[in-house]
DNA sequence: CCTCAAATCTTGTCAATGACAAGATAAATT
DNA sequence: AATTTATCTTGTCATTGACAAGATTTGAGG
């Protein structure tokens, strides 16, 4: 039977994209515990079983969303570093700003990306995406202390990442003065980044 | 009807404790997503509805578990600081070691305590317990830079906590060389702590 | 153009879960 | 001893993720 011209077609057409998009909005609205496959389906206006044809399980959808998150994180870090000129230290601070800005704009997605559960549904694509963000960071740190030994470099890569990640994580969890205006919070973030860079430079100084 | 002498009594007697204990083991075994109220009840050998008489909801049980986690975290930090003698810098490192050791020993509980979801079921007791851990840390940092201005102190409290928290968080998520032996990982953790303390001392130096 | 296989989406079902209701049993209080 | 309160039980409900089977659409080969 011919369908009315305004009726929705039997085939969605871009259901995979619609599910990813709906899923991202849903998780930011209701948190990870409020994320359900059926609500994603509802928001994409398809039946509860439709997602199965695009994602084998709820973890598969989460893995896809997390993978895209890493791509965006990498892009945000890269863009902010570019805006920061050629000085290695300034670029490292810039990457940190990009990192924090992405996390602040996508708090639940960020939590998903770095959650323990994420290790359970880790796909090759997810691992690859995460690795590229890591390498970007690693290079930025090493550029600040090119003369340092390999071991010192490695430890400063750890330390720098830990400082940035720890700070924004605590902020997002509301542990660090949630009452602060975003402006004041930004200043505190920059202070943490400055302390981090200074420590890296100092540790990497002539052996 | 009289019950057989070995049959379990109708009243558990210490169900609240049993549920907390079972819940902690369960979450470490299966992660936060594998945590269910009914499995806690099963492990405590009671019916699925029994927990309701001790915890109004699953979030109530999680809040209680998280609260105890903060108490243990505070105790671990305090104990390790005591073991570290009287030098303020050494004590700060010690507290960080205690912090990391607690997190490593209770990774899922630690994740729960600092998860975004935790803010949703925050009870007064939980807030209080978290605050006492925070104050312990704050005092340890301020003791290292007693001559610094209030603002510098505050920012170094942020920074120090972020470094410690970020490092152990990344380790637990498997982002930082999961393959490392725990011995090597410990060395890297100490390196991060040293860099942190040095940065604090430096930032707090005579203005 | 036609046929048929593959992809996509639907309804129907299942066990598991959190929450609630109502009743049974034990303990505590008076 | 009687009665109230606390504790635990069985029973039920809507929601969820996953699976099965059937309907619709697409599109590739003849």
């Amino acid at each position: 039977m011919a369908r009315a011209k305004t009726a929705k077609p039997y085939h969605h057409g871009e259901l995979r994209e619609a599910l990813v998009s709906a899923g991202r909005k849903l998780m930011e609205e209701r948190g990870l515990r409020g994320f359900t496959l059926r609500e994603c389906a509802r928001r994409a206006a398809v039946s509860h079983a439709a997602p199965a044809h695009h994602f084998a399980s709820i973890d598969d959808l989460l893995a896809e969303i997390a993978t895209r998150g890493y791509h965006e994180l990498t892009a945000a870090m890269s863009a902010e570093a570019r805006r920061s000129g050629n000085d290695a230290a300034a670029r490292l601070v810039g990457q940190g700003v990009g990192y924090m800005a992405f996390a602040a704009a996508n708090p639940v997605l960020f939590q998903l990306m770095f959650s323990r559960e994420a290790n359970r549904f880790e796909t090759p694509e997810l691992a690859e995406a995460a690795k590229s963000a890591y390498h970007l960071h690693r290079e930025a740190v090493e550029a600040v202390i090119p003369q340092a030994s390999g071991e010192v470099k490695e430890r400063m890569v750890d330390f720098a990442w830990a400082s940035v990640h720890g700070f924004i994580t605590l902020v997002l969890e509301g542990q660090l003065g949630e009452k602060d205006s975003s402006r004041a919070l930004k200043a505190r973030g920059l202070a943490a980044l400055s302390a981090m860079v200074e420590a890296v430079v100092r540790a990497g100084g002539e052996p």
Side-chain angles (χ1 to χ4, degrees), chain A:
Chain A
M1 132 184 171
R3 58 180 168 78
K5 58 180 174 183
T6 58
K8 90 176 180 196
Y10 193 88
H11 282 57
H12 183 288
E14 297 186 8
L15 183 53
R16 179 173 243 269
E17 284 305 312
L19 288 171
V20 169
S21 172
R24 281 188 63 157
K25 282 178 195 159
L26 174 59
M27 74 172 53
E28 295 300 340
E29 281 177 27
R30 305 197 192 164
L32 286 184
R33 300 198 77 165
F35 182 90
T36 72
L37 212 44
R38 286 167 105 109
E39 179 63 23
C40 290
R42 245 171 258 132
R43 293 185 177 204
V46 292
S47 79
H48 61 84
H53 295 272
H54 299 276
F55 300 99
S57 69
I58 191 172
D59 282 358
D60 254 42
L61 174 53
L62 288 172
E64 172 68 21
I65 291 176
T67 301
R68 298 191 184 202
Y70 272 109
H71 288 148
E72 287 181 26
L73 173 62
T74 305
M77 290 165 66
S78 186
E80 203 65 36
R82 217 174 302 122
R83 276 176 30 104
S84 303
N86 289 323
D87 178 60
R91 289 176 63 87
L92 180 56
V93 170
Q95 273 198 6
V97 169
Y99 191 97
M100 291 184 181
F102 170 84
N106 310 276
V108 180
L109 170 57
F110 186 77
Q111 185 195 357
L112 170 70
M113 290 160 59
F114 290 96
S115 75
R116 268 189 139 246
E117 271 75 20
N119 293 330
R120 206 171 303 180
F121 51 72
E122 178 158 302
T123 63
E125 292 80 17
L126 178 55
E128 185 63 32
K131 216 180 233 176
S132 78
Y134 176 76
H135 276 97
L136 201 61
H137 167 69
R138 179 184 204 86
E139 285 169 10
V141 173
E142 292 182 348
V144 174
I145 47 173
Q147 79 291 356
S149 73
E151 195 175 351
V152 167
K153 279 179 181 168
E154 280 204 18
R155 289 182 171 175
M156 286 303 108
V157 168
D158 287 359
F159 172 72
W161 191 12
S163 300
V164 177
H165 184 80
F167 184 85
I168 192 62
T169 293
L170 290 174
V171 167
L172 295 183
E173 282 154 0
Q175 303 265 9
L176 238 55
E178 196 176 8
K179 302 163 196 169
D180 280 16
S181 74
S182 85
R183 181 183 173 78
L185 211 52
K186 199 167 181 177
R188 293 171 76 184
L190 281 174
L193 284 175
S194 297
M196 177 272 283
V197 171
E198 233 181 282
V200 169
V201 168
R202 189 172 164 75
E206 306 303 332

